[in-house]
Amino acid sequence: MFLNLPGLCAIVTGFFGLSGAVTIGPVGDLLIVNKDIAPDGFNRPSTLADTTLTGGTFPGPVISGRKGDRFKINVTDALTDTEMLRATTIHWHGIFQNGTNYADGPAMVTQCPIVPEESFVYDFNVFEQAGTFWYHSHYSVQYCDGLRGAFIVYDPEDPNQDLYDVDDGQYHQLALEPFRQPATTLINGLGRTSANDVLDSNTELAIIKVTQGRRYRFRIIGLSCNSPYNFTIHDHNLTIIETDGEYTIPLTVDSFWVFAGQRYSVILHADKPINNYWIRANPLASRQLPGFEGGRNSAILRYDGAPDEEPTTNAISTLPLNDDDLHNRNQNKAPGEPHLDGADIVIPIRQRFNFGNRTFEINNVSYVSPTVPVLLQILNGTYDVDHLMPKGSIYKLKPNSSVELQIYGLSIGGPVSKHALLFNDLEAEFESSIPSICTVHGYNWENPVVRDTVATGVTGNLTVIRFFTNNSGPWFLHWQCFISIMCISHIDWHLNEGLAIVFAEDPEGTEAHNRPIPPPFHELCPKYDQSNPDKEYLGF
């Protein structure tokens, strides 16, 4: 059911102070259920995750573990609403899935969807990864109906642990936006709608409690299905120590933009007078109503001892993040030579919107989901891109090579997300109050920020990213688009409209590189082919 109700925009911003939040992992059960919810006072049907059939939380349970853990999450499809998508998959955003490509989750790239009354165990190791990640449905546009949550990997050897006192799972914020036309920003699952017919300034807001003098690690996660947000906490600076699961050189700011799929860890020092302070997540005006009238786009930072009332604070950002100032902590250089076209493989990526059939194209080809997952095609011995489906949307990459993507901006567009790996964002070409708009800067080949989701800017912009091929298998690259503003990547509405490609990395070596695929994986496609519950919605 593709809903045109006033939607919810969600941002998980730095701290998960979720009331009654459920945490599972590294081993656990995740049930996918339908439930009517009203986090902003407006009731709507949703697709949610929980640990029991009678549950259904928004956002979903926090999944957590430690660096080096092996995760085994048994996902059961218990969806029953015949007016909504009922098959499902789960993608673990930011996890490399090195050797477990089959567990990555994107429907018809690495697996067939799970059908109702069936389950599948996602079994993978995070190895040396640690930081802030998230999970979500990767089946059509289902995650926009609410199926998403935080995925946290703690690092016992965190090099920044002397900078903060608290990071105990009680301080995470989620901002969500499950429907196509968002009218509500949710922080930790709560918010007030901007829809005039249901506006209620008495709707509960999230309250994040802190103790004066303590230092908190807040994990900011952009769980949005569409809007980006400018994030601030009045009268408090925020020190960035992580982007997308990678440590950065600490950088102090007082505001920054969070795009769909992006994550930040920031440190907040609760060193202000005991009081209530506004937390603001102001959306981009072209996608959602900005501003704070009636408490929308807001939450509350409350010091212990402060009165139980809404803040009266006002603040103007004087230290906004300039992306050029972000650098990886390890001072790693970008793979390849330090100049444009200096990688082993150089791929231009040109985006286009076809106004005739209302689809997006990458290098003149609109992505159409294949009928057989790309991984299965490869495992069955198809390695040539001329024979891999969908034709024209598969790019073959040699192993052990540096790759440079030259992504040309599009004024009908959004953020770019690459499965399975992190990349070096070599050029934040523009700066202004919105990233990727304005004057040109140079390339950073020496110590670029490392992340898995990046804004690619408006028409005329060129974003260059580099990565190294050491993880054989098919991996998705897809976009999120903001009409009339910029293309960045991670909006599934636009994936559904063709804005995606697949990298077939060393297809000849995929079977040997991956852990033996469990037998239940091979049962997914026959069951989906036999009892696909979503033919009516997906045009089959």
Side-chain angles (χ1 to χ4, degrees), residues 318-339:
T318 59
L319 196 61
L321 171 64
N322 177 352
D323 282 13
D324 289 355
D325 295 332
L326 280 174
H327 303 289
N328 70 77
R329 182 183 177 92
N330 294 325
Q331 298 287 291
N332 292 329
K333 295 183 178 181
E337 297 299 319
H339 57 80

Side-chain angles (χ1 to χ4, degrees), residues 31-332:
L31 281 77
I32 312 305
V33 300
N34 293 123
K35 185 178 182 180
D36 288 352
I37 60 171
D40 60 350
F42 188 93
N43 202 54
R44 60 187 40 87
S46 301
T47 300
L48 307 173
D50 208 334
T51 57
T52 66
L53 282 172
T54 57
T57 61
F58 185 68
V62 175
I63 298 176
S64 68
R66 294 161 66 92
K67 185 169 69 173
D69 277 349
R70 181 171 178 174
F71 285 79
K72 295 182 180 180
I73 307 297
N74 182 34
V75 175
T76 298
D77 185 337
L79 298 171
T80 58
D81 190 332
T82 58
E83 295 191 8
M84 301 183 76
L85 293 167
R86 285 186 292 150
T88 195
T89 71
I90 299 295
H91 171 55
W92 317 94
H93 190 115
I95 302 301
F96 295 161
Q97 300 294 353
N98 200 322
T100 51
N101 180 250
Y102 62 85
D104 193 41
M108 310 317 291
V109 176
T110 60
Q111 71 167 91
C112 283
I114 307 165
V115 297
E117 301 183 12
E118 297 289 345
S119 63
F120 179 69
V121 177
Y122 289 90
D123 181 354
F124 55 90
N125 197 306
V126 296
F127 298 108
E128 292 302 305
Q129 285 190 266
T132 308
F133 309 94
W134 64 300
Y135 67 91
H136 60 86
S137 169
H138 217 310
Y139 175 57
S140 186
V141 295
Q142 189 177 63
Y143 105 71
C144 299
D145 285 330
L147 179 45
R148 48 203 136 147
F151 187 105
I152 308 300
V153 181
Y154 293 99
D155 185 357
E157 302 173 89
D158 180 359
N160 296 300
Q161 58 189 344
D162 61 334
L163 300 181
Y164 58 86
D165 306 306
V166 182
D167 180 26
D168 60 3
Q170 297 302 309
Y171 292 90
H172 302 174
Q173 275 188 358
L174 305 177
L176 303 161
E177 154 202 43
F179 305 122
R180 185 166 195 172
Q181 295 299 328
T184 304
T185 297
L186 301 183
I187 298 178
N188 284 3
L190 296 172
R192 292 175 185 165
T193 184
S194 60
N196 291 330
D197 56 338
V198 292
L199 182 61
D200 182 0
S201 60
N202 294 316
T203 302
E204 185 179 1
L205 295 176
I207 298 173
I208 310 301
K209 293 185 177 181
V210 296
T211 299
Q212 190 181 47
R214 302 275 278 171
R215 300 168 301 168
Y216 295 83
R217 178 174 179 168
F218 291 167
R219 299 175 184 264
I220 320 297
I221 309 175
L223 299 189
S224 169
C225 182
N226 200 331
S227 300
Y229 297 89
N230 187 264
F231 182 77
T232 62
I233 299 178
H234 282 183
D235 298 338
H236 291 76
N237 286 341
L238 305 168
T239 299
I240 298 171
I241 59 171
E242 175 213 350
T243 58
D244 295 2
E246 285 289 306
Y247 295 122
T248 66
I249 295 174
L251 177 66
T252 299
V253 300
D254 66 5
S255 69
F256 53 92
W257 283 90
V258 184
F259 291 87
Q262 291 186 328
R263 292 92 63 209
Y264 291 86
S265 278
V266 301
I267 296 168
L268 177 142
H269 189 188
D271 59 354
K272 304 304 178 187
I274 293 175
N275 202 350
N276 295 292
Y277 298 87
W278 281 119
I279 300 169
R280 304 294 203 188
N282 205 23
L284 188 65
S286 65
R287 303 311 298 151
Q288 186 182 343
L289 185 63
F292 311 109
E293 181 184 2
R296 69 173 184 267
N297 304 320
S298 301
I300 298 170
L301 181 75
R302 175 165 294 161
Y303 279 62
D304 289 340
D308 185 10
E309 61 188 25
E310 293 192 356
T312 58
T313 55
N314 289 288
I316 297 175
S317 174
T318 59
L319 196 61
L321 171 64
N322 177 352
D323 282 13
D324 289 355
D325 295 332
L326 280 174
H327 303 289
N328 70 77
R329 182 183 177 92
N330 294 325
Q331 298 287 291
N332 292 329

Side-chain angles (χ1 to χ4, degrees), residues 420-479:
L421 53 77
L422 292 161
F423 49 70
N424 297 102
D425 180 13
L426 302 176
E427 181 177 8
E429 278 202 336
F430 300 98
E431 73 171 326
S432 75
S433 60
I434 299 174
S436 301
I437 299 178
C438 266
T439 56
V440 177
H441 286 186
Y443 298 93
N444 177 7
W445 308 104
E446 295 301 315
N447 59 348
V449 67
V450 181
R451 60 188 325 154
D452 56 44
T453 304
V454 63
T456 62
V458 297
T459 299
N461 187 40
L462 175 63
T463 298
V464 177
I465 64 178
R466 289 265 185 95
F467 59 91
F468 192 78
T469 55
N470 58 4
N471 191 3
S472 179
W475 306 108
F476 226 0
L477 181 78
H478 61 100
W479 275 252

